[in-house]
């Protein structure tokens, strides 16, 4: 049986922690995320994309550079993360298509829109009550919105989690290794996510394990 979940703090609102996260090299998994999205969405992307828990904006920047006909809104509850994200998007000259709002999900401060896509990367495992993500998605989606939620998945045991850290983040600073380990222990399994989707009435979404450590829920809403 998989080890029980150990939650971690929801927000990454410590400036040092946000800076360490921003400095980490996620280029491999984040560029793969764009490729995976293209494969799943399988059509030209336009309209507006909502990114819940955008953090320091590395994924958003990659999406905005790839999908030049789309606009993006990034939401996060952490002011230090949003400062980093705004700086990144500004430096990349993408501010005309990418904007941000600070909101602690669930929140009335998330802009309403006819979203083409609602996505979220590595937010779910932070949430003490995962249903708030699925309810927020339902509240902001319209018929035809494409949902794309990617996250870590919880390993079988603490030793399996430690092995992944040693293998995948052996050379990273201690603060990042600790965050990564805590995140793996806080993540959900694919079966748990399927139950969450059933409970939320989102059973049309497909849940897949991707690679060694990730899980993806995706699909169009009716
Ligand atoms: C691991 S980071 C992921 C950032 C980014 N999506 C990425 O993939 O690089 C998780 C982010 O979710 C934010 N977060 C966690 N719980 C939140 C909540 N309830 N409302 C808003 N943001 C939240 C944290 O502040 C953090 O920036």
């Amino acid at each position: 049986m998989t080890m029980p979940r150990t939650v971690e703090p929801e927000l990454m609102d410590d400036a040092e922690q946000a800076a360490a996260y921003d400095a980490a090299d996620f280029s491999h998994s984040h560029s793969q995320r764009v490729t995976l999205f293209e494969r799943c969405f399988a059509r030209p992307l336009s309209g507006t994309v909502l990114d819940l828990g955008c953090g320091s904006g590395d994924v958003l920047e990659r999406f905005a550079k790839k999908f030049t006909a789309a606009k993006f809104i990034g939401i996060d509850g952490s002011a230090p993360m949003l400062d980093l994200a705004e700086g990144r998007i500004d430096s990349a000259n993408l501010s005309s298509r990418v904007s941000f709002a600070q909101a602690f999900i669930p929140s009335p401060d998330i802009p309403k829109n006819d979203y083409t896509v609602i996505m979220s990367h590595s937010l779910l495992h932070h949430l003490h009550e995962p249903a708030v993500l699925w309810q927020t998605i339902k509240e902001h989606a319209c018929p035809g919105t494409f949902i794309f939620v990617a996250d870590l998945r919880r390993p079988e045991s603490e030793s399996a989690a430690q092995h992944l850290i040693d293998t995948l983040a052996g050379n990273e600073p201690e603060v990042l290794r600790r965050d990564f380990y805590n995140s793996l222990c806080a993540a959900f399994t694919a079966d748990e996510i399927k139950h969450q989707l059933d409970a939320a009435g989102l059973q049309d979404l497909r849940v897949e394990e991707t690679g060694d450590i990730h899980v993806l829920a995706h699909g169009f809403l009716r």
Side-chain angles (χ1 to χ4, degrees):
M1 205 177 82
T2 306
M3 64 173 167
R5 178 179 191 228
T6 306
V7 296
E8 60 175 349
E10 289 205 0
L11 287 188
M12 296 176 72
D13 55 358
D14 174 78
E16 197 186 335
Q17 181 192 32
Y21 186 83
D22 186 52
D25 181 7
F26 293 115
S27 51
H28 181 64
S29 72
H30 287 179
S31 62
Q32 271 189 336
R33 204 62 64 75
V34 178
T35 309
L36 200 52
F37 174 86
E38 267 190 301
R39 197 195 79 200
C40 297
F41 188 65
R43 61 202 68 196
L45 175 60
S46 58
T48 307
V49 175
L50 178 66
D51 182 10
L52 297 168
C54 64
S56 60
D58 183 57
V59 178
L60 258 186
E61 181 184 0
R62 289 170 193 276
F63 271 75
K65 281 182 171 162
K66 178 78 190 178
F67 302 106
T68 53
K71 293 190 169 178
F72 297 83
I73 300 177
I75 300 294
D76 207 283
S78 160
M81 281 293 198
L82 285 176
D83 284 348
L84 290 164
E86 275 164 352
R88 174 196 295 278
I89 292 301
D90 208 27
S91 306
N93 287 320
L94 292 167
S95 304
S96 59
R97 289 192 294 114
V98 184
S99 60
F100 296 95
Q102 186 172 5
F104 183 75
I105 298 160
S107 166
D109 300 329
I110 301 172
K112 302 274 186 211
N113 214 314
D114 284 340
Y115 290 111
T116 311
V117 173
I118 300 180
M119 65 181 187
S120 172
H121 306 268
S122 301
L123 167 67
L124 182 63
H125 72 267
H126 278 272
L127 300 175
H128 294 182
E129 182 40 72
V132 303
L133 174 60
W134 307 117
Q135 290 310 326
T136 298
I137 286 174
K138 280 179 80 173
E139 193 183 322
H140 290 274
C142 42
T145 299
F146 184 69
I147 311 301
F148 188 79
V149 172
D151 213 299
L152 296 169
R153 62 176 196 261
R154 194 165 77 256
E156 285 284 311
S157 63
E158 289 177 8
S159 58
Q162 192 56 57
H163 179 69
L164 286 169
I165 302 300
D166 294 342
T167 313
L168 302 173
N171 296 324
E172 296 290 355
E174 184 50 33
V175 61
L176 263 184
R177 287 166 54 84
R178 194 191 56 231
D179 272 358
F180 190 7
Y181 177 85
N182 290 341
S183 295
L184 284 173
C185 295
F188 295 98
T189 64
D191 278 346
E192 288 167 345
I193 293 174
K194 282 181 197 154
H195 286 301
Q196 292 167 16
L197 293 174
D198 283 349
L202 289 171
Q203 51 273 56
D204 287 348
L205 299 190
R206 190 166 155 194
V207 180
E208 297 177 52
E209 294 188 344
T210 56
D212 289 340
I213 56 170
H214 289 108
V215 60
L216 176 66
H218 65 99
F220 288 92
L221 287 196
R222 288 189 207 173

